[in-house]
Amino acid sequence: MSDFGGLMLETNLIGGDWVGADSGKAIPVNNPATGEIIGHVPDCGAAETDRAIAAASAAFKNWSRTDLNYRVGLLHKLHDALLQNQEALAQLLTAEQGKPLFEARGEIAIGAAYVRWFAEEIRRAKGEIVPSPTADRRLLVTRHPVGVVGAITPWNFPSSMLARKLAPALAAGCTVVAKPATATPYSGLVWGKLCQDVGFPDGVVNILTGSARAIGGAIMASPDVRKVTFTGSTEVGKALIRQSADTVKKVSMELGGNAPFIVFDDADLDAAVAGAMVAKYRNMGQTCVCTNRFYVQSGIHDAFVKRLAEATEALVVGNGAQDGVQQGPMIDMNAVEKVEAMIADAIGKGASVVTGGQRHGNGGTYFQPTVLTGATSEMSFATDEIFGPLSAVFKFETEEEAIAAANATEYGLASYAYTNDLARVFRLNEGLHYGMIGINAGLITTVEAPFGGVKESGIGKEGGSQGLDDYLETKYMAVAGLG
Ligand code: ADP
């Protein structure tokens, strides 16, 4: 079995040492494209997590006081190491996660870009000198690293989701205890190796695999962990917010979405279809910003559906490691069954399948990319996240109706609209209750802009200048008696 150029680590990083679980137990990791077990990772729990937190706390004392230039230099080296290993890292990512190689290469590249962005952005993390109401005082506002950060990441972007958390934390002078998702641990563990290779001190980055409840529980319970950053389901995010109360931690939460993709009659049809394909089918529909609901105005509806169905049918489904494949397998059988249940529910309520609708002939967790029309607000995907390659198309008549339908969800992460009406663009900006809006764009994630949701989609932002804020504490100091 390949070890992906030494980048597939089967131990955990605690205080600079690569170790197994205390129990000696390990968890198998499979390749969703083949069903093969590709390796095992430690099944760690609370005791190992407590040691990692202790190591991170000890390391914080020095790390938080290092020269900014030193931290920035290490981050630039980390950026370069990621890109030097991009191909092997992408292959490892595809092997454990299933996404096509071209997407995996892109994920490594954007992860590296986050590292570089925060290396640059930390230089602008300025404080303030505030005018004092009296002549004998000076008022200073300074910014400081929050402390030890707990980072819990999901399986759909196992590399770049950690990048968005590690990079600002390390830039700010925080130390980290990270827990990657059990389904895709290798793309997380390798960050530990690369950090070590480029010279990050022991204890600054610690990475554990194993029971989510045990590791998550220890992170949440520890008074030494001052901030928790989580990407995953809204359900788990809510549980973590509750658990954070006892120690009053800062939290940032990137949770679920229910993205609307609105196509108006005046849209450029070619651009709308191209945007729809990327907004829907990237990572087999398994991203929190993937379109969940297409709302298409009646004048363009039939033409859009025809073109979307043709493009959907043309997608090449297969093992993501093979050249030319555009759609890999889904992450696991639960994901397949959820999509199947949603399709059955919709058909039962009057929807029609235009293309796909069934498990793919490849077997395993492959699923046919699917387009359904006649979607209504009674169907399960109107309110629940699909997280699969299913395009559900709703028809609408007026802009007001589309905006109201788009907002009729507790989520508020990404939204998309295709239109050439400038005044409407600004009505959408004000009317759509979403943290992110793509106008005539189906892919909007970029390191320079704040990624994050409103409502039950989350708290805090990742990327942009805002992405540093959660890792910095503000202190106010009054200096009195200056005469
Ligand atoms: P997803 O469906 O994207 O896997 P989850 O919310 O289930 O979303 O998982 C996201 C991350 O949260 C994973 O690393 C998972 O192991 C972790 N996780 C799941 N349940 C808990 C929990 N109770 N406490 C802490 N972390 C958890």
Side-chain angles (χ1 to χ4, degrees):
M1 185 58 64
S2 164
D3 72 348
F4 299 88
L7 297 175
M8 190 174 128
L9 288 311
E10 302 218 87
T11 45
N12 284 181
L13 182 58
I14 301 179
D17 296 323
W18 288 93
V19 295
D22 291 355
S23 66
K25 287 193 187 139
I27 308 170
V29 181
N30 91 319
N31 178 338
T34 61
E36 269 179 292
I37 305 289
I38 56 172
H40 293 79
V41 292
D43 187 4
C44 282
E48 296 91 332
T49 308
D50 286 341
R51 289 204 292 280
I53 295 169
S57 298
F60 180 74
K61 290 187 182 68
N62 287 330
W63 178 248
S64 57
R65 293 198 205 109
T66 50
D67 287 346
L68 181 63
N69 268 346
Y70 167 68
R71 294 202 302 279
V72 166
L74 287 179
L75 286 166
H76 281 297
K77 284 187 190 164
L78 181 59
H79 164 269
D80 294 349
L82 282 154
L83 290 187
Q84 278 153 15
N85 292 290
Q86 183 179 14
E87 190 55 31
L89 291 169
Q91 287 178 12
L92 177 64
L93 205 172
T94 290
E96 65 178 342
Q97 202 274 339
K99 69 177 62 180
L101 255 184
F102 76 90
E103 287 190 24
R105 289 185 190 113
E107 181 174 342
I108 302 303
I110 197 168
Y114 276 110
V115 173
R116 187 176 58 194
W117 171 255
F118 285 110
E120 294 164 345
E121 199 57 19
I122 191 65
R123 293 190 183 277
R124 293 183 279 273
K126 297 172 189 156
E128 282 183 291
I129 298 173
V130 181
S132 167
T134 57
D136 68 331
R137 291 190 169 205
R138 299 291 180 274
L139 311 183
L140 278 70
V141 180
T142 54
R143 302 180 85 191
H144 306 263
V146 292
V148 176
V149 171
I152 302 177
T153 52
W155 52 261
N156 61 344
F157 289 92
S159 185
S160 64
M161 291 300 110
L162 198 49
R164 288 175 174 190
K165 302 176 188 314
L166 267 183
L170 297 176
C174 300
T175 57
V176 179
V177 175
K179 194 206 85 66
T182 306
T184 56
Y186 295 119
S187 298
L189 285 168
V190 71
W191 279 91
K193 173 177 166 45
L194 295 178
C195 285
Q196 260 190 338
D197 287 353
V198 302
F200 281 84
D202 291 350
V204 170
V205 176
N206 306 273
I207 309 184
L208 297 154
T209 54
S211 159
R213 270 172 202 284
I215 297 172
I219 288 175
M220 298 314 295
S222 169
D224 295 333
V225 176
R226 293 316 314 149
K227 174 192 169 61
V228 166
T229 168
F230 170 76
T231 301
S233 61
T234 296
E235 187 192 349
V236 172
K238 286 180 179 177
L240 296 178
I241 294 170
R242 284 187 202 104
Q243 290 170 33
S244 73
D246 286 342
T247 51
V248 192
K249 292 186 203 320
K250 268 175 171 297
V251 290
S252 16
M253 296 279 151
E254 293 292 350
L255 308 178
N258 181 2
F261 187 110
I262 311 172
V263 184
F264 291 95
D265 285 344
D266 63 19
D268 174 332
L269 183 60
D270 290 339
V273 173
M277 293 304 290
V278 59
K280 178 66 247 184
Y281 296 111
R282 196 158 59 105
N283 201 10
M284 293 71 78
Q286 301 169 122
T287 88
C288 49
V289 293
C290 273
T291 301
N292 216 55
R293 299 167 292 155
F294 284 99
Y295 290 102
V296 186
Q297 203 161 14
S298 55
I300 200 171
H301 177 272
D302 293 355
F304 178 82
V305 167
K306 179 169 179 287
R307 292 281 305 279
L308 179 66
E310 284 165 5
T312 299
E313 250 170 52
L315 285 169
V316 179
V317 180
N319 183 335
Q322 284 160 11
D323 277 345
V325 166
Q326 295 165 298
Q327 289 284 285
M330 298 187 69
I331 191 69
D332 58 25
M333 215 28 107
N334 285 341
V336 171
E337 286 164 6
K338 183 173 177 195
V339 173
E340 267 179 342
M342 284 184 151
I343 293 172
D345 167 75
I347 292 172
K349 292 172 182 164
S352 312
V353 176
V354 185
T355 184
Q358 302 190 351
R359 294 188 191 189
H360 191 273
N362 285 359
T365 59
Y366 290 95
F367 200 85
Q368 293 175 341
T370 297
V371 177
L372 281 181
T373 53
T376 68
S377 60
E378 284 75 45
M379 296 173 188
S380 57
F381 44 59
T383 46
D384 297 343
E385 208 172 10
I386 300 170
F387 239 63
L390 162 60
S391 294
V393 183
F394 301 66
K395 196 189 274 190
F396 74 90
E397 300 294 336
T398 67
E399 180 184 308
E400 296 70 37
E401 182 193 339
I403 292 176
N407 288 336
T409 166
E410 68 269 26
Y411 294 112
L413 193 57
S415 57
Y416 309 90
Y418 276 71
T419 177
N420 282 311
D421 179 335
L422 189 59
R424 172 182 284 150
V425 168
F426 288 92
R427 288 196 296 274
L428 291 169
N429 178 261
E430 285 152 28
L432 288 172
H433 300 153
Y434 284 83
M436 295 176 281
I437 305 174
I439 300 292
N440 299 329
L443 183 58
I444 57 175
T445 306
T446 183
V447 301
E448 294 83 359
F451 183 107
V454 298
K455 294 161 76 178
E456 293 190 17
S457 286
I459 301 171
K461 304 289 177 192
E462 295 192 319
S465 57
Q466 296 82 353
L468 261 185
D469 293 346
D470 277 343
Y471 298 87
L472 293 167
E473 201 85 75
T474 298
K475 278 186 198 171
Y476 151 56
M477 186 167 77
V479 183
L482 300 178

